[in-house]
């Protein structure tokens, strides 16, 4: 069975540009979460979507937005890129975020974004 | 929000040695997971363990929820065990997001 997939693998952008990152969850999983990991730190929560509704938002500026589609895949959009947005962006999926053990999260390989 | 502390921050071992990694958390949890992050950034699920004890080969984990800590044991370490180990939790009654510790960087030398 396929795990969580993310695209693209790597991306180089310049300051001020816009970027869209994509994530497909494990088949049957309805919850998708996005995390940002900068070098030397643990991942930081950005957004969670469940059944196509936003269920949580981390402490990130409005330049960050996301959505979940009817097939449960998700996009993360970042506008007006800053140098500090350079990071590994990780997507995770789970069956049901409310119920043990179905709230176990599985991560994709990530998208490494470099902003020049 | 919930706080997660991992110790030690760095650990260097010789191949074949055993080790214990610790995760302390500040509130009751609905989810606790241990991950191994490989050099390419992939987070690999090791254990889903909000309470109790589990074992998988050379690895085992114990979470004492009432005392708010979890331990990850690695026995007979191998060079392929090198990488960063993260503990992540979400709090009962709180957000469903995972809060990560800062990780333990493990280096296993041949």
């Amino acid at each position: 069975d396929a795990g969580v997939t993310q695209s693209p693998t790597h991306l180089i952008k310049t300051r001020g540009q816009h970027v869209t990152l994509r994530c497909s969850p494990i088949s049957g999983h309805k919850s998708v979460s996005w995390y940002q990991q900068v070098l030397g730190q643990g991942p930081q929560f950005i957004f969670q979507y469940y059944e196509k509704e936003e269920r949580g938002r981390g402490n990130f500026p409005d330049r960050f937005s996301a959505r979940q589609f009817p097939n449960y895949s998700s996009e993360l959009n970042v506008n007006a890129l800053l140098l500090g947005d350079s990071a590994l962006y990780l997507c995770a999926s789970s069956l049901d975020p409310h119920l043990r053990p179905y709230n176990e999260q599985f991560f994709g390989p990530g998208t490494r974004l470099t902003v020049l | 929000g919930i706080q997660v502390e991992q110790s030690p921050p760095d650990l260097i071992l010789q191949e074949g040695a055993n080790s214990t990694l610790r995760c302390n958390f500040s509130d009751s949890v609905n989810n606790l997971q241990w991950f191994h992050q490989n050099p390419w950034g992939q987070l690999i699920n090791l254990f889903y363990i909000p309470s109790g004890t589990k074992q998988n080969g050379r690895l085992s984990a114990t979470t004492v929820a009432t005392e708010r800590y979890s331990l990850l044991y690695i026995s007979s370490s191998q060079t392929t065990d090198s990488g960063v180990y993260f503990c992540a939790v979400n709090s009962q009654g709180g957000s469903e997001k995972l809060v990560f510790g800062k990780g333990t960087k493990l280096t296993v030398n041949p």
Side-chain angles (χ1 to χ4, degrees):
Chain A
D1 285 345
V4 178
T5 59
Q6 293 186 242
S7 62
T9 307
H10 295 86
L11 203 51
I12 299 175
K13 293 284 189 178
T14 57
R15 281 177 295 175
Q17 285 189 311
H18 162 92
V19 68
T20 298
L21 310 181
R22 294 178 174 84
C23 170
S24 291
I26 292 171
S27 178
H29 285 197
K30 299 181 179 180
S31 175
V32 170
S33 298
W34 287 94
Y35 295 81
Q36 181 197 65
Q37 186 178 22
V38 298
L39 200 61
Q41 301 290 323
Q44 297 288 317
F45 172 76
I46 311 175
F47 285 108
Q48 184 189 40
Y49 279 78
Y50 177 60
E51 288 282 17
K52 292 154 281 183
E53 291 189 3
E54 183 182 303
R55 295 300 303 265
R57 172 186 284 256
N59 189 23
F60 281 81
D62 292 344
R63 299 184 296 107
F64 288 76
S65 64
R67 55 180 175 167
Q68 187 176 33
F69 298 100
N71 67 353
Y72 302 108
S73 67
S74 178
E75 281 183 356
L76 175 70
N77 295 284
V78 187
N79 292 325
L81 285 167
L82 303 175
L83 296 180
D85 295 330
S86 295
L88 179 67
Y89 288 84
L90 295 161
C91 173
S93 75
S94 66
L95 267 168
D96 184 331
H98 309 292
L99 297 174
R100 294 188 189 184
Y102 308 111
N103 58 347
E104 181 176 6
Q105 294 193 26
F106 297 84
F107 283 78
T111 293
R112 195 166 295 278
L113 173 65
T114 302
V115 182
L116 302 176
Chain B
I2 192 167
Q3 304 295 315
V4 182
E5 290 186 2
Q6 290 187 244
S7 59
D10 294 279
L11 190 56
I12 300 174
L13 302 174
Q14 287 300 121
E15 204 166 23
N18 303 327
S19 60
T20 301
L21 283 58
R22 188 177 179 102
C23 172
N24 292 333
F25 44 94
S26 60
D27 202 353
S28 301
V29 298
N30 196 37
N31 179 357
L32 188 148
Q33 294 184 238
W34 283 98
F35 297 93
H36 176 211
Q37 189 165 44
N38 66 22
W40 298 272
Q42 174 79 57
L43 281 170
I44 299 163
N45 289 41
L46 297 178
F47 293 103
Y48 171 88
I49 189 165
S51 63
T53 297
K54 291 185 178 179
Q55 180 157 7
N56 184 6
R58 297 183 294 105
L59 274 60
S60 63
T62 295
T63 297
V64 183
T66 53
E67 297 188 20
R68 298 182 183 169
Y69 73 89
S70 183
L71 301 174
L72 176 68
Y73 305 97
I74 305 174
S75 64
S76 304
S77 57
Q78 300 176 357
T79 55
T80 52
D81 295 332
S82 296
V84 182
Y85 290 79
F86 286 105
C87 168
V89 304
N90 70 10
S91 56
Q92 280 185 353
S95 167
E96 295 146 4
K97 69 178 183 182
L98 281 178
V99 176
F100 283 75
K102 293 184 177 181
T104 292
K105 184 178 179 182
L106 175 64
T107 302
V108 181
N109 293 319

